[in-house]
Amino acid sequence: MWARAGLMLVGLLIYSQITHAITLNVNSTASIKSAAKTIAYGLMVYYHGNQTTNPTQIGILPQPYYWWEAGAMWGGLIDYWHLTNDSTYNSVTSQALLDQASPTNDFMDTAIQSSDGNDDQAFWGFAVMSAAEHSFPNPGHSTTQWLTLAVNVFNDFVRRWGLDGCNGGLKWQIFPSNAGYDYKNSAANGGFFLMAARLARFTGNSTYLDWATRSWDWMVGVGLIDLEAEGGYVVFDGTDDTKNCTTLNHAMFSYSLGMILLGSANLANLTNGSDSTLWMTRTIGLLNGTTAFFSPYPNATGIMFETSCEPFNTCDTDQQSFKAYLSRFMAGTALLVPSAYNAVMGVLISSAQAAARSCSGGTDNATCGTKWYVDGWDGTYGVGQQLAALEVVQNLLIGGAAPSVVEDTVHNLNATTSTMPSVVLPTTKPESSVGTVPATETQPPGPIYKLSILGKTRITVSSQELVNELCDEKKYHKAVSGALLQVRNGIGDGLFTAFHDEHNWGVAHRVLMPSFGPFPIKDMFDEMHDIASQLVSKWARYGPSYKIPVTEDFTRLTLDSIALCAMDTRFNSFYREDLHPFVNAMVGFLTESGKRSIRSQWMNDYIYRDSTRQYQQNIDLMKSVANEVIKNRRANPVDKKDLVNAFVLGKDPKTGEHMSDENITNNMITLLIAGHETTSGLLSFLFVLLLKNPDAYQTAQKEIDEVIGRGPVTYEHMSKIPYITACLRETLRLHPTAPGFSVLPNESDPTKYPIYVGKERYEVQYDQALGIFLPRLHRDPEVYGEDAEAFRPERMLDENFIKLPPNSWKPFGNGARACIGRPFAWQEALLAVCLLLQNFNFRADDPGYQLSYSQTLTIKPKGFYMYATLRDGIDPIHLEHNLYGKVDASEKMSAKDKKIEGMGNGTPEKPMTILYGSNTGTCESLAQTLATQAPNHGFKATVKTLDTVVNNVPKDEPVVIVTASYEGQPTDNAAQFVSWLEKLNGNELSGVKYSVFGCGHHDWQATFHRIPSLCDKLLKERGAQRIAAPGYADVANGDIFNDFDKWTDGPFWKGVSKEFGGEEDKNVENHSLDIEIRTNVRAANLRQDVSEAIVKDVKVLTAPGESEKRHIEIQLPTDMTYRAGDYLAVLPLNHSVIVKRVMNRFGLPWDAHITIKEGQQTMLPTGQLMPVFAVLSAYVELAQPATLKNVAAIARSIPEESARMSLLALTESPESFLTHITSKRTSALDLLEDNPTAALPLSSFLTMLPPMRIRQYSISSSPLADPTVCTLTYSRLDAEPLSSANEDSSHTNGTNEASSKPKRRYLGIASNYLSSLTPGDKIRVSVRPSHQSFHPPLDIASVPLVMICSGTGIAPFRAFVQERAKQIQAGRTVAKALLFVGCRHSHRDCLYKADFATWAHIGAVDIRYAFSNEMDKSAGCKYVQDRLQHDIADAMDLWKAGAKVFFCGASRPGEAVREVIMAAYADEAKRAGKEKTKAEIEEWFAEIRNERFASDVFE
């Protein structure tokens, strides 16, 4: 496949996220406002005027801050209100300005004479000027109106102009008694110039314009402004008027230049004609001059700093704040001069990100520092630091703020920022209303929408109906924009970057097109096979433990293939560690082209000069290599119909022209870029999807076995593998690697615009490109149905593919400008897939891998790795024979498994393989537990996932399978194994000796233990021998580890001993780790906490006295995405209270350390010194109920016989054990505390404990609200334990020690961990997809919803309804939705009641409550099932309209809801005269489960 037009993929907009105390996502308005709010609060801490009755303190800051800085602060807070709409500080700001205005209303109070200079007064003038411009609420009295105060300040400046020579200018100081009176500086004169310019623009009065011009001319005349400096204008600090201003102080300060910059921008905006051009030139010159205040170091590109003092640590109190004003003035310039917008926003964004990182100090972890480029807080603090951070952050909002008074009338601003909302196009002609949706939305609001990004408005289309219209080449043609426009820098008018009707495109297209016909492509097959075989050989040589970097190796494959075919050049990427210089240059060129497309030309030329220099070097290198190929072919011609000869010898049949050398070079590089990028992405995505869908994987591999067998893959095979072809099509449907292209209307007459598309519904302006967004087009439910998100290759088989509506599958572009190399890409991909699946079995490195993207010109999977194991009968030595040999192509694959050799390690231990299938870690923990027992029985166990042994199950050794079902399906890391097992049909597993242990939950009766039972059944049917009867555990009983111990100690080890021999485990209680404890080591280094997410907000949702329900908001990592209905998996820590109990019980000080010797079977860290507190907190489950084996080991360590026998008695009576241990969830720790004389060592205690497991919570937010943030809703468990030391001393040592202990609390591990978190805390999480059926329907307009929940089961439905609300606000139509909610009270525990009321008001949901303690307020209904029964007629109406029904909650109400639904079905059938039996009703419910009824049941 080949790269095409500029990408329109809104979901892949680059955004930044700061993972420090202040979180800042620069593409989220909410995030920016939140960050600004935090910083503003920190700023106001320094102001005491609102905390005192002393009037002299009002409006000013305490020492050491001068009077002027307070004025600057109030000006910043006026902007804060204007940009964020937060009026928190309005009252105190007004009070301060009016109090300091002085009796003369010009900020000239005699009380501040000693510190009042012209520049000081100017900053108070700036504040009231901003108040006037932004319509800040005016005082009541006419003499103190904001504009009046500003004019008075200006008039003061005019009266002081030209004192003491120099032909004009303002002195720095106002009063002769002040030091600096003889100094005329750029701050005072720049302040005057800015006041005059703003008043000129605000009032239209030419007097102000005249004074602004005079001030400018004077500053230039004396040299304060240097127009001749290289790279941009320079503003120097000042001059001595005692020397008639003939000498200069060449110091430079950012705020002085900023004042003059904004003044010039005001005049450029105000004036017309040549005057406007003049001021525009000056503005750009000054803007270029600001580069002196950015990028202090190569690794701090685009970050603002104060040049004169920051590098030398000499910034004084005033200078700490200067960056605030440069940020403010540059932002103002961006609004007034739209052509400067992108340049300004680029550096403000990078600076704001750095500033946010600096705001991580102090006790609040949000105190800001001076040096933004040190990637954190630098230890300084103060008003200046807070104000500077506030200004740069809040000014990211300039495009989204309400316009100032004159911006509407004087200048039409078109620039917007990436934080602006996208705007839905009118549904009728221009008079229609306009709606908004968040810019951070990951799913488009509809089939067509507009999005403003950095001043550019784009229209994006995603429905088949509209795309079909835009693909009409009589009306539309390809548009080249975005990153592709930058690629023209290197390849000019090549095939995929040429503008419409460019001459060279026509010549190249006609010359090269024949080279991509069927016969030339066939001729390239051998060269493609050569390169693909190199990939196969590499993976075979590296072996099954090689972690394959999938996208990297597929990139090597496709690069080498196109290089050989298009350039007759071998890069030999598989024979070298580094890449060919051409490849490095090309990758650098593509990456930088993408970056340049989101930066302004000014930024590329000045801020990124080094990058631009390297960019050009990369272009030069690529062209030199291509030119050398051309030169060599011309010097050494060959008679070969390849692409190189087509380039060199081809003639345009229309014009008779040969391609020019430049055209050849451009298109040779074009083919190399386009021919590798998208094909490598296609292959990478394909293997992600195949490994996520084992049935498709097995079907694809089976097709290759039947069609090709063991023989060489030939060209003839390419047309005989329809299922592989369908897999490629389906992959490109779901993940088009070039995710969009753009078109422009053919109409070239501007007077005929606007035109309308979509049956005259949507307006398009002249020169307005329309982007076609392929990922949504390819999921159009009108074409692909409700399962459009699913990978289902069958829909792309030839008989179905040809029936697709026109232009509904467009991964190769459109029409004449479509991918010229599609046949090349298709053959290359088919060949690679055939060779790989023929020779290898694959498994994912991370079976739970969640797809994320990396992006250059195209998209590819990010962070995806896999392993390749040679299939049965193939080894690296004979692989070459398989690839090139003469084996009969009809030879089929042998199903006989290859015997695995013994361990061969020279030890007496026998091999054992333990295989697990686990999503949450429980079965993996059981497998590890069994592995620790194995040496005591004479075995050395290897633990693997089930997917690792596909086609390679070990024989003649014990094979143990520990697996669970996931809603009746195999776990992620067992899916391939189960699929493979189901497809066997003989005695292929003869010689395998196995046993199975299964985990399940009885609430899912229809699928209870389905997968372990299926594995046991199929293994036996396929010839394997069962060692011991299978064991099963019911998670619902809470005793899974004890059930496992019973099985292993009983039938399993007995069966193993009978079949393989081995030792009896005679010393059960002494199972322990070999450890050493050190108590004399202080914790110099804490355990590294890999931060994957950040807590943004936490709150309690219930009233005091109610069962506590809580809400937590989490900032996700940048590459983590989710859907409404998904889970968030949380890796918790044990509560410190429980950890301290362990430390106390074993008499360990808090700083004790532990080393677990290497080479032992454990999931704990080995071979390193670790704090015991850390191990207990993070690695083990301390609250897990004790097992029989645990109890026996503890009992045997008790010296007192009576207590020992009393505890041992529990292990001999299942009823007593259930009563005293399992039912009460008594842990090993509880027993040790209740028996203080027990001498169990810490090593044995650690061995008892299963490793820490993740907990899954339903996400309670929609990504349409903010894709970077998700919320959880959960109950905090903190209760009296069912087991208590005070309650029962019958199993203690008989003393009164137990009764003297404080009562224990049962603390839910995950819920208390979450409850302990505060904003800014870091938490380790991952998104886990829920079952495919537990998501909102794709067809939101026609599929109604019925949702039923109780308690925190409301979580996923909050996400569903929030998503519907966002869609309504975006102008979408949604079907009806009913939500049934059960809780106790109408207010005390009614979760998110205000939110749901708001959403109900706009039609997103109809909510029906059941209040168990206030039945009179819920139609007499006590429980949610009662309310469902009460309103069953409404629910049935929606059911008949095609509704999907969802339940989330505990098992008891879940079962009751099930009964209500089945009863309703029975009643409907009876009314229709088709009465159903109970069995028929049960069968009906089983059929709708996971189709129209989906449940999520928890305890």
Side-chain angles (χ1 to χ4, degrees), residues 1116-1410:
L1116 296 173
T1118 56
D1119 58 352
M1120 191 177 290
T1121 61
Y1122 70 96
R1123 297 170 61 192
D1126 282 347
Y1127 302 111
L1128 193 72
V1130 177
L1131 184 61
L1133 298 174
N1134 284 307
H1135 198 290
S1136 61
V1137 169
I1138 305 176
V1139 177
K1140 289 175 182 176
R1141 285 172 55 196
V1142 180
M1143 302 289 280
N1144 291 339
R1145 174 58 182 78
F1146 287 96
L1148 298 173
W1150 70 270
D1151 56 354
H1153 280 59
I1154 184 174
T1155 299
I1156 302 173
K1157 299 297 177 62
E1158 293 179 334
Q1160 301 178 78
Q1161 283 286 354
T1162 177
M1163 293 184 73
L1164 299 177
T1166 60
Q1168 57 182 300
L1169 194 63
M1170 290 283 291
V1172 176
F1173 202 96
V1175 172
L1176 295 173
S1177 297
Y1179 290 97
V1180 292
E1181 298 273 356
L1182 293 178
Q1184 184 69 39
T1187 66
L1188 279 167
K1189 191 176 293 186
N1190 298 159
V1191 175
I1194 293 171
R1196 291 188 180 99
S1197 74
I1198 299 173
E1200 295 83 10
E1201 182 176 359
S1202 61
R1204 179 172 66 252
M1205 298 309 295
S1206 176
L1207 200 55
L1208 281 172
L1210 294 179
T1211 67
E1212 298 167 359
S1213 168
E1215 293 79 10
S1216 296
F1217 191 89
L1218 177 65
T1219 300
H1220 294 285
I1221 305 296
T1222 304
S1223 297
K1224 295 182 177 181
R1225 297 191 60 81
T1226 304
S1227 69
L1229 175 60
D1230 294 335
L1231 291 173
L1232 287 171
E1233 288 180 327
D1234 292 345
N1235 295 274
T1237 62
L1240 189 81
L1242 178 63
S1243 56
S1244 297
F1245 177 71
L1246 288 176
T1247 307
M1248 292 178 176
L1249 304 175
M1252 180 65 74
R1253 303 187 302 277
I1254 61 171
R1255 270 69 169 175
Q1256 292 189 163
Y1257 291 89
S1258 291
I1259 295 174
S1260 59
S1261 61
S1262 164
L1264 297 194
D1266 186 342
T1268 70
V1269 169
C1270 77
T1271 65
L1272 303 180
T1273 307
Y1274 64 96
S1275 298
R1276 186 170 81 91
L1277 180 56
D1278 180 356
E1280 289 285 343
L1282 298 172
S1283 167
S1284 172
N1286 301 72
E1287 173 189 313
D1288 185 358
S1289 60
S1290 61
H1291 302 294
T1292 70
N1293 62 3
T1295 72
N1296 290 324
E1297 292 184 47
S1299 60
S1300 65
K1301 297 176 182 178
K1303 283 192 175 183
R1304 295 189 289 256
R1305 303 287 296 172
Y1306 184 78
L1307 304 173
I1309 293 176
S1311 65
N1312 279 277
Y1313 168 65
L1314 291 174
S1315 299
S1316 71
L1317 300 174
T1318 59
D1321 284 349
K1322 295 167 185 176
I1323 177 174
R1324 298 180 66 186
V1325 302
S1326 65
V1327 171
R1328 300 292 177 92
S1330 66
H1331 191 279
Q1332 180 65 30
S1333 62
F1334 207 91
H1335 293 287
L1338 292 175
D1339 189 355
I1340 61 172
S1342 57
V1343 180
L1345 298 183
V1346 177
M1347 298 164 283
I1348 309 149
C1349 65
S1350 59
T1352 55
I1354 202 170
F1357 303 137
R1358 180 179 184 266
F1360 284 24
V1361 177
Q1362 185 183 55
E1363 185 153 299
R1364 289 167 58 85
K1366 290 295 181 183
Q1367 289 164 329
I1368 290 171
Q1369 291 164 357
R1372 304 288 297 277
T1373 299
V1374 299
K1376 291 183 178 179
L1378 266 176
L1379 173 61
F1380 294 89
V1381 179
C1383 54
R1384 291 188 178 91
H1385 302 276
S1386 58
H1387 287 92
R1388 296 179 60 80
D1389 65 342
C1390 191
L1391 308 184
Y1392 304 111
K1393 187 173 184 179
D1395 288 344
F1396 280 108
T1398 300
W1399 295 332
H1401 180 71
I1402 64 173
V1405 70
D1406 179 355
I1407 189 164
R1408 313 287 176 89
Y1409 287 106

Side-chain angles (χ1 to χ4, degrees), residues 534-560:
Q534 293 176 24
L535 172 66
V536 174
S537 297
K538 174 187 174 179
W539 289 358
R541 289 195 309 271
Y542 278 51
S545 62
Y546 173 56
K547 186 175 176 180
I548 297 171
V550 176
T551 58
E552 179 182 318
D553 274 4
F554 278 140
T555 297
R556 291 174 184 259
L557 168 72
T558 54
L559 270 170
D560 281 19

Side-chain angles (χ1 to χ4, degrees), residues 219-484:
M219 288 188 288
V220 172
V222 300
L224 291 181
I225 302 175
D226 182 0
L227 307 181
E228 305 299 325
E230 183 178 352
Y233 297 177
V234 171
V235 175
F236 297 121
D237 184 64
T239 182
D240 188 347
D241 68 355
T242 64
K243 299 179 181 179
N244 202 30
C245 299
T246 57
T247 60
L248 289 172
N249 176 356
H250 287 91
M252 296 185 297
F253 298 104
S254 60
Y255 78 138
S256 304
L257 188 149
M259 292 181 209
I260 300 170
L261 169 65
L262 181 57
S264 180
N266 270 270
L267 299 180
N269 181 274
L270 169 67
T271 53
N272 299 302
S274 60
D275 286 342
S276 179
T277 302
L278 175 64
W279 285 112
M280 185 65 74
T281 300
R282 292 169 173 174
T283 300
I284 297 304
L286 290 162
L287 195 58
N288 289 342
T290 63
T291 57
F293 301 98
F294 291 90
S295 307
Y297 300 101
N299 63 347
T301 302
I303 297 176
M304 191 184 299
F305 75 116
E306 195 59 31
T307 311
S308 63
C309 63
E310 281 189 27
F312 317 107
N313 297 316
T314 58
C315 294
D316 61 25
T317 302
D318 290 349
Q319 292 164 347
Q320 302 282 10
S321 69
F322 284 2
K323 294 197 297 286
Y325 320 123
L326 181 60
S327 301
R328 184 194 302 180
F329 299 144
M330 288 183 71
T333 299
L335 276 180
L336 295 168
V337 182
S339 61
Y341 187 89
N342 286 354
V344 170
M345 289 308 297
V347 292
L348 288 189
I349 286 171
S350 54
S351 295
Q353 292 167 338
R357 287 194 293 268
S358 84
C359 297
S360 55
T363 57
D364 60 353
N365 292 323
T367 297
C368 305
T370 299
K371 297 180 180 179
W372 296 346
Y373 49 85
V374 299
D375 200 31
W377 187 48
D378 63 0
T380 66
Y381 56 91
V383 171
Q385 289 89 334
Q386 292 295 128
L387 183 57
L390 174 64
E391 291 278 11
V392 74
V393 169
Q394 71 185 18
N395 276 299
L396 299 184
L397 299 167
I398 56 173
S404 64
V405 171
V406 293
E407 284 173 352
D408 284 337
T409 57
V410 177
H411 191 77
N412 178 21
L413 295 178
N414 294 315
T416 54
T417 77
S418 59
T419 58
M420 278 289 286
S422 54
V423 181
V424 182
L425 286 166
T427 54
T428 59
K429 291 196 176 181
E431 294 78 13
S432 299
S433 60
V434 177
T436 61
V437 294
T440 52
E441 184 174 293
T442 55
Q443 299 182 45
I448 182 169
Y449 60 96
K450 284 195 300 188
L451 181 66
S452 293
I453 309 171
L454 294 177
K456 297 178 181 179
T457 299
R458 301 176 185 271
I459 297 176
T460 301
V461 173
S462 58
S463 72
Q464 184 273 333
E465 176 190 4
L466 290 170
V467 170
N468 189 47
E469 180 179 345
L470 298 185
C471 288
D472 183 351
E473 291 185 281
K474 296 177 182 178
K475 296 180 179 179
Y476 298 91
H477 63 265
K478 176 180 175 178
V480 176
S481 60
L484 216 55

Side-chain angles (χ1 to χ4, degrees), residues 122-123 125-127 129-130 133 150 153-154 157 170 186-202 208-209 211-213 215-216 219 255-267 279 325 328-330 332-333 336:
F123 272 89
F126 296 162
M129 193 70 235
S130 294
E133 289 171 336
V153 171
F154 171 83
F157 291 156
L170 284 180
S186 53
N189 287 280
F192 178 38
F193 170 70
L194 178 54
M195 287 295 295
R198 292 170 75 174
L199 284 166
R201 180 174 174 274
F202 190 88
Y208 298 117
L209 176 59
W211 272 106
T213 303
S215 176
W216 170 274
M219 288 188 288
Y255 78 138
S256 304
L257 188 149
M259 292 181 209
I260 300 170
L261 169 65
L262 181 57
S264 180
N266 270 270
L267 299 180
W279 285 112
Y325 320 123
R328 184 194 302 180
F329 299 144
M330 288 183 71
T333 299
L336 295 168

